[in-house]
């Protein structure tokens, strides 16, 4: 009878299975984050209403990897009188054009004003791409090693009881 515990014969099966088990959730998270970001921007493009908001603060923070990040804090009021405050990273041209205490265009969903974006805000797919790429790599590698281990295990002859040592 074959053993599916971590033995010499099943090492590659277990090794590949672990990488497959780690990679697949990363892939799902990356794809899910990408779909969620795309869906949010698609709904705002299709159903969003625009209103004038106010820039409260502008900041530039230095990042070693991707250069400076141009951020602003803003607020806007919905037609039902709710005031929402948020911050966003915007492109450098928009950041240069806007002034503190000046107007900024905000697009929001009328039924859910918590879903909104400010003009010049990028569509940030970086996190989704990183998770998807890492998850794809680990899933493919883990799947290949797992299937290879399974193939090796299937070709390994089953020892007879009398051949088994003490």
């Amino acid at each position: 009878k074959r053993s599916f515990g971590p033995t010499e014969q099943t090492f590659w099966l277990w090794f590949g299975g672990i990488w497959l088990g780690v990679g697949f959730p990363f892939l799902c998270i990356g794809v899910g984050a990408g779909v969620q970001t795309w869906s949010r921007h698609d709904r705002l493009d299709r159903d969003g209403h625009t209103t004038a908001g106010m820039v409260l603060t502008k900041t530039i923070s230095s990042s070693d990897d991707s250069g400076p990040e141009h951020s602003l804090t803003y607020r806007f009021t919905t037609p039902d009188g709710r005031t929402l405050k948020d911050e966003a990273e915007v492109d450098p041209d928009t950041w240069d054009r806007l002034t503190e205490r000046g107007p900024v265009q905000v697009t929001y969903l009328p039924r859910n004003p918590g879903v909104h974006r400010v003009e010049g805000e990028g569509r940030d797919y970086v996190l989704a791409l990183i998770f998807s790429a890492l998850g794809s790599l680990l899933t493919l590698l883990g799947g290949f090693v797992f299937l290879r281990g399974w193939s090796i295990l299937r070709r390994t002859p089953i020892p007879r009881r009398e051949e088994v040592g003490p």
Side-chain angles (χ1 to χ4, degrees):
K1 193 171 185 176
R2 290 187 181 164
S3 169
F4 284 95
T7 66
E8 264 184 62
Q9 295 169 330
T10 60
F11 172 78
W12 292 111
L13 188 70
W14 281 93
F15 185 75
I18 290 170
W19 285 110
L20 184 62
V22 169
F24 189 69
F26 269 78
L27 178 61
C28 291
I29 290 168
V31 169
V35 167
Q36 183 180 17
T37 300
W38 174 83
S39 174
R40 175 180 174 259
H41 286 287
D42 182 57
R43 287 183 318 189
L44 285 167
D45 290 341
R46 189 181 58 241
D47 303 325
H49 290 190
T50 58
T51 188
M54 177 189 288
V55 176
L56 301 175
T57 61
K58 292 172 45 175
T59 58
I60 297 179
S61 57
S62 180
S63 172
D64 296 336
D65 297 339
S66 61
E69 295 176 355
H70 298 78
S71 302
L72 54 92
T73 304
Y74 61 96
R75 73 172 179 226
F76 69 100
T77 304
T78 62
D80 65 358
R82 286 180 46 200
T83 300
L84 297 170
K85 180 180 170 185
D86 204 353
E87 62 181 60
E89 187 177 330
V90 296
D91 61 74
D93 293 334
T94 302
W95 192 89
D96 287 339
R97 188 173 40 78
L98 296 173
T99 59
E100 289 187 356
R101 298 305 208 197
V104 62
Q105 182 179 340
V106 180
T107 303
Y108 67 96
L109 294 178
R111 292 185 180 200
N112 186 4
V115 177
H116 58 270
R117 72 171 174 234
V118 67
E119 67 177 289
E121 183 177 345
R123 298 179 184 217
D124 192 12
Y125 291 101
V126 174
L127 185 65
L129 288 173
I130 290 170
F131 269 79
S132 294
L134 183 61
S136 295
L137 179 68
L138 293 176
T139 300
L140 289 173
L141 179 65
F144 174 78
V145 172
F146 180 83
L147 290 175
R148 184 78 174 129
W150 182 261
S151 173
I152 291 169
L153 185 64
R154 291 191 69 206
R155 286 190 307 232
T156 304
I158 303 172
R160 294 186 182 161
R161 284 205 179 263
E162 59 270 5
E163 293 177 6
V164 177

